[in-house]
Amino acid sequence: MAEVHSFDIVCKVEMHEVNNAIDQAKKQLAVRYDFKGSKSSITLNSDNSITLIADDDYKMKSLTEILKEKLAKRNVPLKALSFGKAENALGGAIRQVITFQSGIPMEKAKDIVKLIKGLKLKVQAQIQEDKVRVTSQKIDDLQEIIKTIKDQNYDFAVQFINYK
C-alpha cells in the first residue's frame, strides 16, 4: 500500500507573538513625541482581544498603524484581525476593539474544498471542525494545492500545518 501524505489548512494566530507585538507597540508608544501626555493605550484582554484607546481619530489611526506594523514584523497575519467600530469612551477618548479570527468559517471551508475538487487531482479534501484536511498519495499534488490556495486572495488568513 502506498504511503498517504496530508496537511491541514487552518486560520490561527500565535497569541504569544501577538503579546510580543503588543509589548513592542507599547514601547514605541511610550517614546513617540506625538503621544506624549495622551491617554492612548494598547491592551491585550483576557479573551484574546485587543483594546485601543486614543484621544482622537488621528491618534487612533497612528495607534492602529503602529500595532499593524509590529504584528506584521512578528508574522501575525493581518487578515486574521477583525476591527470593531470605533466608539466614544470615557473622557472624550475613542475606543476600538480588535478581535482575532480563529478557524475557517464553514462556508469558506466549503469554497476551499470546491476549489480543490475543481483541480481534478487525486486528492481528498474534508472539513474537520474549523480546518480542512487534504490527503493524497502524491506529494506533488499536495504542493500544487498549496500553491493554488496561496494564489487565491481570501479575506481570511490561511496557514498550512501538519504537513506529513
Side-chain angles (χ1 to χ4, degrees):
M1 183 175 144
E3 189 177 351
V4 176
H5 306 282
S6 68
F7 68 88
D8 295 332
I9 304 169
V10 297
C11 174
K12 69 178 194 173
V13 175
E14 299 291 337
M15 288 312 292
H16 66 278
E17 292 295 344
V18 171
N19 198 12
N20 291 339
I22 289 174
D23 288 344
Q24 289 177 342
K26 285 180 181 179
K27 286 177 186 175
Q28 184 173 348
L29 190 65
V31 298
R32 284 219 3 197
Y33 181 76
D34 54 343
F35 285 102
K36 289 274 192 243
S38 84
K39 299 178 221 159
S40 301
S41 67
I42 302 173
T43 310
L44 180 63
N45 304 320
S46 59
D47 64 347
N48 288 339
S49 64
I50 300 172
T51 302
L52 304 178
I53 297 177
D55 296 338
D56 53 42
D57 286 333
Y58 173 74
K59 286 188 176 158
M60 179 60 77
K61 209 175 276 185
S62 296
L63 202 55
T64 305
E65 289 305 314
I66 291 170
L67 182 62
K68 283 182 177 179
E69 174 190 334
K70 299 303 179 187
L71 288 170
K73 281 186 179 177
R74 292 248 169 225
N75 294 324
V76 175
L78 296 181
K79 285 185 176 182
L81 301 176
S82 295
F83 288 87
K85 200 176 107 204
E87 55 193 31
N88 292 329
L90 198 60
I94 300 172
R95 176 187 313 122
Q96 187 173 28
V97 177
I98 302 170
T99 55
F100 294 98
Q101 176 184 1
S102 67
I104 299 175
M106 186 58 72
E107 58 275 355
K108 305 288 186 186
K110 287 178 182 176
D111 290 344
I112 291 173
V113 170
K114 187 176 176 182
L115 173 74
I116 291 170
K117 300 249 186 230
L119 293 175
K120 305 287 188 211
L121 298 172
K122 289 190 175 183
V123 298
Q124 290 82 40
Q126 59 191 30
I127 301 171
Q128 296 180 342
E129 295 172 21
D130 58 350
K131 65 184 176 186
V132 177
R133 170 148 303 158
V134 182
T135 57
S136 174
Q137 292 183 350
K138 294 183 181 177
I139 292 179
D140 293 343
D141 288 348
L142 295 179
Q143 290 172 341
E144 178 70 27
I145 289 171
I146 289 174
K147 182 183 178 306
T148 303
I149 290 176
K150 281 183 179 179
D151 291 343
Q152 301 296 313
N153 192 13
Y154 290 113
D155 60 348
F156 58 93
V158 178
Q159 292 97 14
F160 305 98
I161 61 170
N162 297 336
Y163 191 87
K164 300 174 192 163

